[in-house]
Amino acid sequence: MVEKLFEELCALDEVEALALGGSRAGEHFDKASDYDVYLYCSEPIPEDVRRDILSKYCSVMEIGNHFWEYEDNCRLNNGIDIDLLYRDLDAFTSDVAQVVEQFQPCNAYTTCMWYNLLTCKVIYDREGRLAQAKERFSVPYPSELRENILARGWQLLHSSMPAYDAQLIKAVKRGDMVSINHRASGFLETYFDFLFALNREAHPGEKRLIQLCRERCAVLPAHFEENLERLLLDLYHAPGQVAADLQTMILELEKIYQP
């Protein structure tokens, strides 16, 4: 069923390339794993054309969602979810180039799109341009990018006036639960961005980060999982301990990174 869907999509004049991402692009998936499908298009595919094709294979369709990227979020007739994301290849590679070749850091998830490109499984590539992009960016982790991510991350985690640790402590003191959640999320997003950069690993995304750090990062703070678990539990059950938890995590980072 999925192969037939891909065949119909790839037959469209607008589609330059189609790739699988996520677990379906590798070996660690099962029958219930979702499909993350990336369609690189020379121009937009009309919504009615997409709806007509997808209606043959999907029981649920949300066409044209644009919460993150422009995408159709659907459920196949066999009950498995499928997300189809529509991209302009030139714009996408330009964004990756800003990170990999121009060494521009972000507040979090800096190298996620680079990881997405490197790990996607190309299903269709009319002119070979997606393969060319993968080859272009199949390079060692740039030292300058690493240093820029670490420098920015360290400031956001701890060393600047608006750093997340200080903001989180203020939120805890106020008892502002929404702000606590917001600042804790910011701290952790930056924390993992920092760890992957420290280990010269492209950031794999927002899922299973503790497991992926264990598998891929040779250098991690001492008591990495224990300290994360303690912080997450204390945020809502022992807020008086949060400042000490953050201090411990920062001190352990300082042992493996000298700003």
Side-chain angles (χ1 to χ4, degrees):
M1 177 176 62
V2 173
E3 290 177 357
K4 290 181 179 179
L5 169 59
F6 289 173
E7 287 176 4
E8 288 206 49
L9 292 170
C10 293
L12 297 173
D13 291 339
E14 298 91 342
V15 176
E16 289 189 75
L18 183 149
L20 275 177
S23 60
R24 289 277 180 178
E27 299 178 353
H28 303 293
F29 67 89
D30 55 37
K31 293 181 180 179
S33 297
D34 297 348
Y35 287 89
D36 296 318
V37 182
Y38 304 96
L39 292 107
Y40 294 90
C41 303
S42 57
E43 57 184 278
I45 305 169
E47 287 193 2
D48 60 334
V49 172
R50 293 172 3 229
R51 189 183 301 277
D52 286 346
I53 293 174
L54 290 168
S55 64
K56 303 174 189 178
Y57 305 96
C58 299
S59 58
V60 178
M61 298 182 295
E62 292 185 1
I63 305 297
N65 281 340
H66 205 170
F67 301 113
W68 294 277
E69 297 187 61
Y70 184 67
E71 56 195 81
D72 298 332
N73 305 115
C74 305
R75 180 162 298 135
L76 294 164
N77 291 331
N78 61 7
I80 297 176
D81 289 345
I82 182 170
D83 298 326
L84 302 102
L85 292 81
Y86 301 91
R87 294 171 170 173
D88 177 278
L89 184 56
D90 291 328
F92 179 76
T93 54
S94 176
D95 289 343
V96 176
Q98 287 184 353
V99 173
V100 181
E101 297 174 346
Q102 300 173 33
F103 319 124
Q104 295 185 12
C106 303
N107 289 355
Y109 302 106
T110 298
T111 53
C112 277
M113 290 298 104
W114 183 27
Y115 179 91
N116 179 264
L117 176 60
L118 293 178
T119 59
C120 74
K121 181 178 180 180
V122 179
I123 305 299
Y124 172 74
D125 196 5
R126 181 184 298 159
E127 304 293 335
R129 294 211 308 136
L130 182 56
Q132 291 171 7
K134 284 173 72 73
E135 182 178 1
R136 172 183 171 184
F137 295 110
S138 294
V139 297
Y141 200 110
S143 295
E144 189 170 348
L145 172 62
R146 177 178 182 267
E147 293 306 316
N148 288 347
I149 294 174
L150 295 178
R152 185 182 185 89
W154 188 251
Q155 288 182 302
L156 283 169
L157 288 171
H158 173 66
S159 68
S160 67
M161 290 185 66
Y164 283 124
D165 61 348
Q167 292 188 57
L168 179 51
I169 291 169
K170 288 180 182 178
V172 169
K173 288 180 178 179
R174 294 190 188 104
D176 187 338
M177 301 301 286
V178 174
S179 183
I180 289 170
N181 186 69
H182 182 203
R183 300 311 181 190
S185 294
F187 180 87
L188 292 174
E189 288 171 354
T190 304
Y191 182 75
F192 282 104
D193 204 40
F194 187 95
L195 290 179
F196 286 116
L198 186 68
N199 285 272
R200 295 179 174 85
E201 290 283 342
H203 196 309
E206 79 279 8
K207 298 176 182 176
R208 301 187 295 117
L209 290 180
I210 292 176
Q211 176 185 341
L212 291 171
C213 277
R214 287 199 314 264
E215 293 175 357
R216 302 178 185 181
C217 296
V219 179
L220 288 172
H223 312 296
F224 164 64
E225 293 182 60
E226 177 185 336
N227 288 336
L228 275 170
E229 182 178 353
R230 182 180 295 113
L231 172 64
L232 291 168
L233 289 173
D234 286 349
L235 283 171
Y236 303 104
H237 299 289
Q241 299 299 315
V242 167
D245 296 340
L246 292 169
Q247 182 181 35
T248 297
M249 293 178 70
I250 294 299
L251 288 173
E252 295 297 349
L253 274 185
E254 285 182 321
K255 294 177 183 178
I256 58 176
Y257 170 72
Q258 298 301 318

